[in-house]
Amino acid sequence: MSLTTVEVDEFELMNAKNSWISKSCLKDINRVECHPVLPVKGEKNVLVTSALPYVNNVPHLGNIIGCVLSADVFARYCRLRGWNTLYISGTDEYGTATETKALEEKLTPQQICDKYFKIHSEIYTWFNISFDHFGRTTSPKQT
């Protein structure tokens, strides 16, 4: 594996400094609803995704570190560089894990998905994870 040297010019340094000072790189989890991040011709467009956590548990620090934190750091880096960046993730609501948890809690799979999606969203918001969109694999658009 070889490392690539990235040169940072004065404009990028100033942009990063101003973003840091204004905290514009620390927007909330629902940012995409206010102003969608769409590809822009002629600009550097970056799509960042992270592993989709199952909705059969409450995420803990290990889940966050192993699942979303590195992508969040990279998305913030890209935004500080002034690149048009979209960071997306969501809960994986299909599979045996969801059905098993539903049986264990005596709920329907849909109730489990609704319950744990809300918990995941609240925890990622609390940790200030900078998703542009945090969705669900069971949404009509995703399906």
Side-chain angles (χ1 to χ4, degrees), residues 63-127:
N63 298 126
I64 292 168
I65 291 169
C67 185
V68 299
L69 188 59
S70 58
D72 182 64
V73 170
F74 182 68
R76 290 170 188 265
Y77 165 78
C78 292
R79 291 182 191 121
L80 285 171
R81 296 282 310 257
W83 299 337
N84 186 39
T85 304
L86 175 64
Y87 176 27
I88 60 173
S89 189
T91 51
D92 185 348
E93 301 183 359
Y94 291 111
T96 305
T98 300
E99 292 187 24
T100 302
K101 190 66 167 181
L103 290 170
E104 179 184 311
E105 294 192 20
K106 298 182 180 13
L107 297 171
T108 67
Q110 185 62 57
Q111 289 170 319
I112 286 294
C113 292
D114 294 343
K115 173 184 174 179
Y116 285 99
F117 174 80
K118 182 176 185 300
I119 291 169
H120 278 253
S121 295
E122 290 170 352
I123 288 173
Y124 298 138
T125 298
W126 188 86
F127 275 98

Side-chain angles (χ1 to χ4, degrees), residues 39-50:
V40 178
K41 189 174 183 167
E43 287 189 21
K44 183 163 183 119
N45 297 288
V46 180
L47 172 63
V48 181
T49 64
S50 59

Side-chain angles (χ1 to χ4, degrees), residues 6 17 21 23 25-26 37 43 52-53 60-61 66 81 92 124-125 129 137 143:
V6 177
K17 177 184 173 189
I21 291 169
K23 306 272 191 254
C25 57
L26 303 175
V37 179
E43 287 189 21
L52 302 179
H60 53 75
L61 190 55
R81 296 282 310 257
D92 185 348
Y124 298 138
T125 298
I129 302 297
T137 56
T143 301

